[in-house]
Amino acid sequence: MAKFTKQESSKGRLFILQQSIEMICEKPITGWGINGFAHNYMSKQATFFMKHPKDKACQYADNLHHPLNEYIIIAVDYGIPCFCLLMIFIGLGLFTLLAKLKDDRIKQRFVIIIVCAILSFFSYPFLYPFSWIILGYSILCFIKTSIISNRIFPILRFPFALTILILHIFCAYKLIENIQLKNIKYDAENKKYGKVISAYQKIYEQQKENYVFLYAYSSILMEAGIYDRAERCAERCSRLYSDYNVCILNGDIKRCRRNYNAAIKAYFMAHYMCPSRITPLYSIMQTYRLNGEFSKSIMMAEQIINSPIKVSNSATDEMIKETKYFLHMVHHKNNEIK
């Protein structure tokens, strides 16, 4: 089982790499811009599966905003020239370190930098502040001991100290911000919609470019029955990030507003983003039923029953159970008519 899981993971990474390289080839010089991968990758993945619905990658494609490779995301977001400059910088840095490995302090910094460089090929360490702190400290110590003379270093102490102070202030601000959002989330879980919506409105201008905030705000507005604002918020969120969960949320809001055709379109987009998940298919089936298109709902129900389940849990089990019951009732009704 472990062997199979590792093979699936490797194939998934290879598929992500192939799609990322295609994105690089489409915009090799300028790249896709800041957060370009997160903004566009899932839409590209959906387009691929629309054209290749039988591809084996359907079974292990997932919802993601990072290519699991720090070097690839630089090339996607900022283009090949920026990627080449980064490689030159890393190469010159490592060459300089290798020339000074006789110093034990340099050896320690070298190991840390090499670990970060290698890990960046297979993961996303720089999404976490700790990686930036450790790497930055190692580079700073290396510069102090190897490049900058004792006369020059005191001059640079103030800029370094100021930079560190600004970073601490930024981290403190983000911490306070996260505490506020956590308190709002607690109120949301306790169905205090009026209080939650009021709190979200106060910080909307600060957070309107934050995908996580927009998604949460839109979800709360939908639960509170404020569908027009929920739809505007969800659509803004979808413009910022191409995302499976946002497509599902958009579909749910449109279905609540009885805009069934638009809801089905959103669910199909979510389905093509992650073909192995049955939630979009189940939502499409239910929407067809609400729209009176029973033949299409039966077709979707049969597709759900015949679809292999990637991850089984209580939610998927309940959807499959309800789908089977729906098909049973349809067949029972047809037999009565006969």
Side-chain angles (χ1 to χ4, degrees), residues 215-240:
Y215 180 82
Y217 189 22
S218 183
S219 299
I220 289 297
L221 288 169
M222 184 186 72
E223 289 181 28
I226 309 174
Y227 300 129
D228 55 341
R229 283 166 58 189
E231 188 170 20
R232 289 198 301 271
C233 200
E235 287 176 352
R236 181 179 180 84
C237 187
S238 64
R239 287 195 296 271
L240 289 175

Side-chain angles (χ1 to χ4, degrees), residues 150-162:
N150 291 331
R151 289 183 180 180
I152 298 175
F153 189 75
I155 300 172
L156 298 177
R157 281 181 181 171
F158 177 74
F160 283 142
L162 182 62

Side-chain angles (χ1 to χ4, degrees), residues 8 59 276-279 281 303-313 316-317 319-320:
E8 188 178 78
Q59 294 304 310
S276 63
R277 300 190 184 185
I278 68 167
T279 300
L281 298 177
Q303 186 174 341
I304 292 169
I305 297 302
N306 295 324
S307 297
I309 305 301
K310 183 179 179 180
V311 179
S312 182
N313 52 45
T316 58
D317 291 343
M319 283 187 278
I320 291 171

Side-chain angles (χ1 to χ4, degrees), residues 197-245:
I197 291 170
S198 177
Y200 273 138
Q201 282 178 324
K202 289 178 181 178
I203 60 174
Y204 178 81
E205 287 301 319
Q206 298 171 311
Q207 299 288 333
K208 63 183 180 181
E209 302 300 321
N210 184 338
Y211 149 76
V212 176
F213 167 80
L214 289 171
Y215 180 82
Y217 189 22
S218 183
S219 299
I220 289 297
L221 288 169
M222 184 186 72
E223 289 181 28
I226 309 174
Y227 300 129
D228 55 341
R229 283 166 58 189
E231 188 170 20
R232 289 198 301 271
C233 200
E235 287 176 352
R236 181 179 180 84
C237 187
S238 64
R239 287 195 296 271
L240 289 175
Y241 274 76
S242 175
D243 182 81
Y244 165 87
N245 294 315

Side-chain angles (χ1 to χ4, degrees), residues 61-78:
D62 207 348
N63 188 40
L64 74 160
H65 300 143
H66 196 285
L68 310 179
N69 186 310
E70 297 285 9
Y71 304 104
I72 290 296
I73 200 168
I74 292 295
V76 172
D77 288 359
Y78 305 108

Side-chain angles (χ1 to χ4, degrees), residues 264-290:
I264 289 167
K265 184 178 179 180
Y267 290 137
F268 265 118
M269 177 58 75
H271 166 64
Y272 286 118
M273 284 180 173
C274 300
S276 63
R277 300 190 184 185
I278 68 167
T279 300
L281 298 177
Y282 178 79
S283 299
I284 293 167
M285 179 192 78
Q286 296 289 55
T287 308
Y288 276 140
R289 289 177 67 184
L290 290 171

Side-chain angles (χ1 to χ4, degrees), residues 281-282 284-290 292-305 318-334:
L281 298 177
Y282 178 79
I284 293 167
M285 179 192 78
Q286 296 289 55
T287 308
Y288 276 140
R289 289 177 67 184
L290 290 171
E293 299 178 85
F294 291 106
S295 59
K296 290 183 178 180
S297 66
I298 293 168
M299 180 180 67
M300 295 310 302
E302 290 172 346
Q303 186 174 341
I304 292 169
I305 297 302
E318 186 64 27
M319 283 187 278
I320 291 171
K321 182 179 176 181
E322 289 185 20
T323 303
K324 287 181 177 178
Y325 179 74
F326 168 64
L327 285 175
H328 171 75
M329 294 302 295
V330 168
H331 293 151
H332 179 71
K333 188 176 181 180
N334 288 340

